[in-house]
Amino acid sequence: MSEESLSTVLQQDHSFEPSDEFAAKANGKAEMYAAAEADHEGFWAEQARKYVTWSKDFETTLDWSGAPFAKWFVGGELNVAYNCVDRHVEAGNGDRVAIHFEGEQGDTRTITYADLQKDVAKAANALTSLGVGKGDRVAIYMPMIPETVVTMLACARLGAPHSVIFGGFSAEALHTRINDAEAKLVVTTDGQWRRGKAAPLKAAVDEAMNHGDHPVENVLVVRRTGTDVEWADGRDIWWHDLVDDQPDTHEAQPMDSEHPLFILYTSGTTGKPKGIFHTTGGYLTQCAYTNSVVHDVHPESDVYWCTADVGWVTGHSYIVYGPLANGATQVLYEGTPDTPHQGRWWEIVEKYKVSILYTAPTAIRTFMKWGDDIPAKSDLSSLRLLGSVGEPINPEAWLWYRKHIGGDRCPIVDTWWQTETGAIMISPLPGVTDLEPGSAQKAIPGISAEILDDEGKPFTEPEKVGYLVLTKPWPSMLRGIWGDPERYKETYWSRFGPKYYFAGDGAKYDAKGNIWLLGRVDDVMNVSGHRLSTAEIESALVSHPKVAEAAVVGAADETTGQAVCAFVILRKEAVEEADEPGEGKDLVQELRNHVAHEIGPIAKPRSIMIVAELPKTRSGKIMRRLLRDVAENREVGDVTTLADSSVMSLIKEGMSSGA
Ligand code: WT7
């Protein structure tokens, strides 16, 4: 679309109605809203029995007596891996493809549900032989390969909560997470394919193990790239030595509905990441239900592709648990979108006839930048539904996605949710809702959201900005922060009192009553759909011997949504050094690498400014708002509350002299 026609579309107040054809076959129905409204618990009980096979039926749908600690489907028992794999084989669908695996190098594997059943059984037997049992924690630090999905399911089968740590996190981050969860086993690979090169992965596990105390007894290593690895005899075991020869049957034991399924660390407003934990019955119910009514998965005919990494919650809920519980066929792609060229994704869509694509706005904006001609080279006519997740999608990107990927025919579901919510909460239903570009629109049936003002009062006036809250417990809600129940109450259930779950997002209604999500209202940044905490990056910077103080802000970025911008005060010795010609630049690079080493490459600041002072209030609080003005090249706002009002002009001067 040309610039001009795009702005005409944006000015028009228009929405996209579902086609009759789509609506007729859609899983999500308009009646569901009223049904859920009339009987919240009854509605969820019905979904739980529809989407999940219970070994023992539940007695109580919701126990909220210990609020804000919820119990869903109390008394029920089930095995998640049985639900995701075995029952499909028992139903006669063993020959259906579960995973079309596409390696970055072009290697492929087709894994049917019958194959997956055997693979999961072998892995479960292998884990058992290493002494992993119900309740033990397993850390998973792996790339996007089938063994990762198999390992997660094997853990679920044994009732051993997994903690998947994204492969882009550093040894440091790995160490903290392994220790916090007290994982006794780590599963990893020798390396991973990234942009045509083999990058080491196990090396970071070794570094984490050498870092100090840890609870790990064994490291199980999948050979993926052939990269040389160090080996700790007695601790390290090759996957092919242990797993391949295991018996390929395994009896799944039912777990209590509230048995912990996994821990997933996410950034909060303090330096310490939070171990968000989810349990079994409620989580699986909502993942399967939303994958059905929002993604509209029809397992017998669709080919579904969620492009997220399994290291994030999107990968947990919408690569592993939701689609597999529904018996869907999906694509699992290992690599980056531009390897070997920028049309790789669209070739994959054409090759596997992908019909449902779920991705992130940052990817869509990147494709926009690369040009319309790239997707145009592939046949994308198999697509019938598109999804977006992770950050607000700007209307321009939404319209581009609809036209250039969706051929002006596919509905787009903009899905709002969080690691904490476990599954989709706010989204259109594709066969029901008139779509409004840029808005996630409405809480799905069974979910209740409101917007509150500063005083905590709900309002509905259009265009007024407030705070998004959730007003009723939902099945896939987090059950807490691992090892820290107080922080759970404090973070989510105290801002507006114990009746409201505070999501941390700003929101508004439009004149039609649609909800628009406006980004985080706390010190959490969203960079390419990844959550990063300003405090965590600040403490990484301050841990460098040359840094005295640091302030980090998220500045608007055209492609990544937000970008990390840091302001740093150096220690005295370092200031002199940095003044030497050419040294300043090296130091900035050194600090960026230091952040990558402490947290991971995703946290590397886009810019680091070395400054003499930071803007602070008289009580010593850093005024990030002013730094954001600088980082976004704006006139600096109101400085009257600054302790020293000359600070901002000093910073601005520093910027123009190119320091
Ligand atoms: C935060 C949660 C949801 C899984 C991936 C991220 C932002 C997420 C949307 C959306 C606007 C969105 C929010 C939220 N967010 N989806 N459709 N529209 N904002 O999970 O890392 O837990 O981050 O991502 O700010 O609070 P997460």
Side-chain angles (χ1 to χ4, degrees), residues 264-267 276 308 312-315 317-318 358 360-361 388-393 413-424 426-427 438-440 468 501 503-506 516-522 524-526 529-532:
L264 186 58
Y265 287 84
T266 188
S267 296
I276 302 298
W312 306 108
V313 75
T314 309
S317 303
Y318 297 112
Y358 191 37
S388 172
V389 60
E391 50 177 319
I393 176 164
V413 288
D414 174 6
T415 61
W416 178 91
W417 57 293
Q418 312 176 294
T419 305
E420 291 87 341
T421 70
I424 294 168
I426 302 180
S427 166
S439 164
L468 182 78
Y501 169 89
D505 277 298
W516 291 68
L517 280 315
L518 303 171
R520 304 288 307 188
V521 294
D522 51 11
V524 171
M525 295 168 288
N526 190 328
H530 299 155
R531 208 153 129 182
L532 296 169

Side-chain angles (χ1 to χ4, degrees), residues 305-452:
W305 183 20
C306 166
T307 68
D309 192 285
V310 279
W312 306 108
V313 75
T314 309
H316 283 58
S317 303
Y318 297 112
I319 292 177
V320 183
Y321 296 113
L324 293 179
N326 287 334
T329 295
Q330 68 177 313
V331 170
L332 185 73
Y333 172 54
E334 177 185 36
T336 44
D338 51 355
T339 306
H341 58 78
Q342 295 175 337
R344 183 68 187 270
W345 276 22
W346 316 120
E347 286 181 359
I348 293 175
V349 169
E350 176 174 331
K351 175 173 174 186
Y352 296 103
K353 299 197 165 45
V354 172
S355 54
I356 301 170
L357 178 71
Y358 191 37
T359 192
T362 184
I364 298 162
R365 289 192 296 264
T366 303
F367 296 130
M368 276 175 87
K369 209 164 60 185
W370 288 349
D372 309 351
D373 52 317
I374 293 172
K377 287 189 193 119
S378 297
D379 177 2
L380 306 181
S381 60
S382 55
L383 289 170
R384 62 176 200 88
L385 178 103
L386 304 175
S388 172
V389 60
E391 50 177 319
I393 176 164
N394 43 314
E396 295 84 345
W398 197 104
L399 290 165
W400 185 92
Y401 194 26
R402 178 174 163 96
K403 180 170 161 109
H404 295 281
I405 307 302
D408 272 331
R409 100 194 144 260
C410 304
I412 299 177
V413 288
D414 174 6
T415 61
W416 178 91
W417 57 293
Q418 312 176 294
T419 305
E420 291 87 341
T421 70
I424 294 168
M425 304 293 282
I426 302 180
S427 166
L429 291 186
V432 177
T433 317
D434 288 353
L435 302 172
E436 196 70 41
S439 164
Q441 299 196 272
K442 208 173 160 171
I444 60 167
I447 301 301
S448 310
E450 279 181 18
I451 305 179
L452 305 185

Side-chain angles (χ1 to χ4, degrees), residues 137-141 163 165 170-187 204-206 208-209 213-217 219 265 482:
R137 272 83 65 202
V138 175
I140 300 179
Y141 186 60
S163 165
I165 297 139
S170 68
E172 216 22 76
L174 193 54
H175 182 254
T176 328
R177 287 159 175 77
I178 287 172
N179 278 27
D180 189 77
E182 298 171 279
K184 70 195 272 192
L185 174 71
V186 181
V187 188
V205 177
D206 294 332
M209 304 288 90
D213 287 352
H214 66 78
V216 175
E217 291 166 18
V219 178
Y265 287 84
W482 194 255

